[in-house]
Amino acid sequence: MFGLEILSIQDMDELLQESRDFDFPVSQIIHQNSTILAELKPSASLTLNDLLLHEHPQIQQFTGCISNWVDTESENSVLQKQSERLIQMQVQYSVHLGLERLVFELPLKITNYARIISQALDSVYYTKIVIRTRLDQWENWNKLRIMCGHHAKLGLALDLSGDLDDVGQWIAEPVKLIFLPTGLFLKNAKGFPVLSKKHQEFMRRLLLTQPDIVISSLNVPHQENMGLVHYKEYCQYLFSTLPKPDVIDRFASGYHDYLQAPLQPLMDNLESATYQVFEKDPIKYQQYEKAIYQALVDRAQDLTVVFVVGAGRGPLVDRAIRAAQDANRKIKLYALEKNPNAILTLRQRKLDDWRDSVQVYHCDMRFWNPPEQCDILVSELLGSFGDNELSPECLDGAQRLIKQGGISIPCDYTTFISPISSAKLYMNTLDFGDLKHTETPYVVKFRQIRELSKTKPIWKFEHPNNEPMMPLGHPHFNTHNTRYSSVLFDIEHDSLLHGIAGYFESTLYKNIIISIHPPTHSPGMFSWFPIFFPLRKPIHVFAGSQLQVNFWRCTDARKVWYEWNVIPIVNGKEVVGDASVVHNPQGRSSWIGLQ
């Protein structure tokens, strides 16, 4: 939606007329020339002569602006109190009018101002409050939103005036409005308004989050080509030049920055629709087929026994058959599945498609006793964090099925993490209103985030696993799959740390990989989104400082869980007072069941 602000217009009907080609007008609530501040008494109230906005059939279209000439930080206590009182009256009047949105302008000094806004946030129900902030005011904005307790009704109105040298942090902020002053625009060869290349690039990044846009002008231009509607048309053109969604974005439509609980593959039986979604990913299965093909070619034996464990509805079975045909190799193929519903689909496919070329078994791979061992064990048990869907535990139980010298596809997977800022993801965890959801990892298709340092690996799993291990059923049978990693990150930007992003990279066979790790992401693969580990309380970090991130993969006889914490380091010293708590101790909030 597009709004219009004309600062010189001090008449509501005139502004409505000028903004007829826009979706909503933006206006001060009180006249700029009002003398109410000088005359205000404790018992005073607004008068019609003070008001620019008033009762009107179209009043709810307006976005109202709190007077920016008040001084809530004045050393003159009378002026300070009068300013505070005037803001309170404007907020109350805006609520009375039913305005959907109220704009406060961010001043240089904000301590008392933040207290007043905090009061306003608690006094409104329908009305949303946004803070008009210039590009060079991130520190002040950050201070204000922290003082306001990261309130859910507090948003950002970003004024694109100012320096564009380091604007990446704004992508991670809750930008609801973009103010574009007409003075920001250049003229093209035909005399129409355009933005600089830098502003265009930044705007396209912001437009992906679909904020409303306000064209802000001091007055009504008289030049024909510079009419205010042309600024709107140019912004509409910018919208039209956004990159077309690729296959991943089309798949993720509606799920950007949406928190999803990871799957519980051992505890829960997947539905057919879930299998169907994953089967639409052509890249993953192409890579698996390449890996199986190359493994068959390299083995060069008369008959190769292949087990597909966790076969689902059979996509890897199809790929194994095709790989064998292309490699001109004879295989004996077994498909194993524990899901009592999916096994019916596999049996139907055996009747209709595979016939005697595939043997289908219904069992948990950890307890299966097949008629023979395999040369190649194929599985697709990876989660967004690599091991978070219990691939290590499942494959440990299944590796006894592999012959001496046999292989697993995949043969390894590595987990990577990086610290990120994302006000939206943090607020989404707070929306649940409990401890549990601030200590739960989520699968998320990232959009409104800023990565604060390059990713680093924290641990790796390999299969077959040659580590000594206790037998299944022993109280400590899974101890070998615990992990602990402490990683030091160099912070590249002043920011507010909201959590840790997680990714994986997996070797299927030799140099054939699948990856959601950004530097090596498999192009077009959408089966996995990254994982997000939230912090219960955001931490202010500074460019040039460091951040120690500690991660644990823990287990007992019934479950696996993660614990995590962060410690800022400034000038080589741990800032213990700003360190986070250890999240999710003993898996109290989130865990993955082993049964």
Side-chain angles (χ1 to χ4, degrees):
M1 293 176 62
F2 291 88
L4 179 65
E5 176 185 58
I6 304 177
L7 297 173
S8 63
I9 292 182
Q10 295 291 297
D11 179 81
M12 182 175 170
D13 290 327
E14 184 181 353
L15 182 56
L16 277 169
Q17 177 62 23
E18 291 293 340
S19 60
R20 61 190 178 277
D21 294 321
F22 291 77
D23 298 298
F24 60 95
V26 179
S27 172
Q28 296 281 324
I29 296 167
I30 294 177
H31 285 289
Q32 292 180 358
N33 57 3
S34 171
T35 60
I36 187 172
L37 190 59
E39 300 171 354
L40 196 61
K41 299 293 189 294
S43 60
S45 59
L46 297 173
T47 68
L48 289 177
N49 290 332
D50 299 312
L51 296 174
L52 200 160
L53 297 186
H54 52 77
E55 293 281 6
H56 189 282
Q58 295 174 273
I59 186 60
Q60 292 185 358
Q61 293 180 16
F62 276 78
T63 288
C65 298
I66 297 295
S67 303
N68 59 4
W69 34 264
V70 295
D71 188 357
T72 61
E73 310 291 330
S74 175
E75 294 181 1
N76 181 325
S77 62
V78 174
L79 178 58
Q80 180 264 314
K81 290 176 182 177
Q82 289 174 330
S83 296
E84 186 173 332
R85 170 67 176 147
L86 182 56
I87 291 175
Q88 290 170 345
M89 288 195 295
Q90 290 178 83
V91 171
Q92 292 166 4
Y93 183 64
S94 300
V95 171
H96 169 74
L97 292 177
L99 299 187
E100 181 179 352
R101 192 159 43 200
L102 197 53
V103 179
F104 285 74
E105 190 160 326
L106 188 65
L108 295 176
K109 296 180 179 180
I110 65 160
T111 304
N112 192 45
Y113 197 68
R115 182 184 68 88
I116 295 166
I117 291 176
S118 186
Q119 292 175 347
L121 287 164
D122 287 337
S123 69
V124 299
Y125 178 73
Y126 171 78
T127 305
K128 301 293 191 299
I129 290 178
V130 294
I131 309 300
R132 185 169 182 172
T133 307
R134 298 190 311 276
L135 293 173
D136 58 358
Q137 289 185 294
W138 183 82
E139 290 289 347
N140 261 15
W141 153 251
N142 189 44
K143 178 180 177 181
L144 182 140
R145 56 106 171 262
I146 290 173
M147 291 182 68
C148 292
H150 303 273
H151 202 289
K153 291 180 182 175
L154 183 65
L156 183 64
L158 190 59
D159 189 318
L160 293 203
S161 304
D163 192 355
L164 280 176
D165 285 346
D166 183 17
V167 293
Q169 181 60 36
W170 296 117
I171 301 300
E173 301 295 351
V175 178
K176 307 300 182 184
L177 274 180
I178 298 175
F179 276 86
L180 290 176
T182 53
L184 199 65
F185 287 76
L186 310 173
K187 291 183 181 180
N188 66 11
K190 296 182 179 180
F192 288 97
V194 295
L195 289 171
S196 70
K197 296 292 185 184
K198 266 191 167 184
H199 281 95
Q200 289 180 45
E201 181 182 348
F202 183 44
M203 274 289 289
R204 288 190 180 98
R205 294 178 68 190
L206 290 172
L207 291 178
L208 290 173
T209 65
Q210 299 183 325
D212 292 340
I213 296 174
V214 176
I215 304 300
S216 177
S217 179
L218 290 173
N219 47 48
V220 180
H222 297 294
Q223 298 154 281
E224 182 179 349
N225 287 357
M226 300 299 285
L228 293 174
V229 72
H230 295 307
Y231 294 87
K232 171 189 169 184
E233 291 169 350
Y234 175 75
C235 292
Q236 289 173 322
Y237 161 75
L238 281 184
F239 265 113
S240 73
T241 63
L242 291 177
K244 299 299 181 186
D246 60 18
V247 62
I248 298 176
D249 283 324
R250 290 196 299 272
F251 176 77
S253 178
Y255 287 94
H256 287 95
D257 298 322
Y258 178 78
L259 305 179
Q260 301 178 75
L263 297 175
Q264 290 268 10
L266 285 183
M267 291 177 59
D268 303 329
N269 292 315
L270 299 184
E271 298 175 354
S272 183
T274 304
Y275 287 119
Q276 186 175 20
V277 168
F278 293 139
E279 290 166 10
K280 290 179 180 178
D281 188 334
I283 305 303
K284 175 177 66 175
Y285 293 112
Q286 285 175 17
Q287 293 300 93
Y288 266 97
E289 184 177 333
K290 288 179 184 178
I292 299 169
Y293 167 85
Q294 192 60 54
L296 290 171
V297 169
D298 289 348
R299 298 192 78 80
Q301 56 195 52
D302 293 335
L303 178 67
T304 302
V305 180
V306 178
F307 289 175
V308 177
V309 292
R313 304 196 312 176
L316 284 180
V317 176
D318 290 331
R319 295 292 179 155
I321 293 171
R322 189 181 306 174
Q325 292 170 345
D326 292 345
N328 196 26
R329 294 288 189 266
K330 186 177 179 181
I331 65 171
K332 190 174 183 181
L333 188 55
Y334 294 76
L336 178 71
E337 176 56 51
K338 76 171 184 66
N339 186 333
N341 302 306
I343 197 68
L344 299 176
T345 302
L346 291 176
R347 287 170 176 162
Q348 187 65 50
R349 294 210 60 197
K350 175 176 170 60
L351 289 173
D352 295 342
D353 305 323
W354 304 325
R355 300 193 180 272
D356 293 337
S357 64
V358 180
Q359 302 303 313
V360 174
Y361 288 86
H362 178 209
C363 191
D364 186 318
M365 69 183 75
R366 297 172 295 173
F367 309 112
W368 185 38
N369 293 308
E372 61 184 319
Q373 290 181 300
C374 68
D375 299 292
I376 303 175
L377 183 77
V378 183
S379 65
E380 51 172 329
L381 305 170
L382 299 174
S384 296
F385 210 44
D387 55 84
N388 65 296
E389 293 187 13
L390 304 184
S391 179
E393 286 72 20
C394 292
L395 292 181
D396 281 353
Q399 71 179 31
R400 62 189 170 79
L401 309 176
I402 306 175
K403 295 176 183 177
Q404 186 69 27
I407 64 170
S408 169
I409 296 177
C411 63
D412 67 50
Y413 35 94
T414 303
T415 296
F416 296 81
I417 62 170
S418 66
I420 63 170
S421 178
S422 176
K424 183 169 185 179
L425 295 182
Y426 175 68
M427 295 305 299
N428 287 348
T429 64
L430 290 189
D431 284 345
F432 292 101
D434 58 24
L435 171 67
K436 175 181 177 180
H437 288 88
T438 62
E439 293 190 327
T440 296
Y442 300 95
V443 175
V444 182
K445 174 57 176 169
F446 293 145
R447 175 168 279 172
Q448 285 184 256
I449 74 159
R450 188 182 207 190
E451 192 174 79
L452 305 182
S453 188
K454 293 179 176 62
T455 57
K456 290 189 175 184
I458 57 170
W459 54 61
K460 182 178 183 178
F461 288 89
E462 296 180 325
H463 302 287
N465 181 1
N466 296 317
E467 291 184 61
M469 58 184 78
M470 299 291 184
L472 201 62
H474 189 281
H476 304 294
F477 78 94
N478 202 33
T479 303
H480 64 284
N481 281 326
T482 61
R483 295 288 189 274
Y484 166 55
S485 181
S486 183
V487 184
L488 203 60
F489 290 93
D490 295 321
I491 298 300
E492 300 172 359
H493 315 281
D494 288 1
S495 187
L496 199 63
L497 173 70
H498 293 104
I500 307 299
Y503 312 90
F504 79 85
E505 179 180 294
S506 174
T507 304
L508 296 179
Y509 180 74
K510 289 188 173 179
N511 64 343
I512 302 168
I513 72 166
I514 53 175
S515 173
I516 63 166
H517 181 215
T520 60
H521 196 292
S522 303
M525 188 176 73
F526 54 75
S527 285
W528 297 273
F529 296 155
I531 197 166
F532 171 63
F533 291 84
L535 294 183
R536 285 166 53 187
K537 181 181 178 183
I539 296 174
H540 196 173
V541 293
F542 302 92
S545 67
Q546 293 180 303
L547 186 74
Q548 179 181 319
V549 180
N550 303 305
F551 250 94
W552 296 264
R553 187 183 198 264
C554 308
T555 184
D556 61 23
R558 298 183 303 104
K559 63 184 185 295
V560 171
W561 70 93
Y562 300 100
E563 299 178 14
W564 61 97
N565 99 302
V566 301
I567 305 172
I569 298 175
V570 178
N571 298 325
K573 294 184 178 181
E574 293 182 350
V575 186
V576 178
D578 288 342
S580 79
V581 299
V582 175
H583 291 65
N584 196 36
Q586 293 297 307
R588 67 183 177 190
S589 296
S590 62
W591 46 272
I592 312 110
L594 286 167
Q595 299 172 357

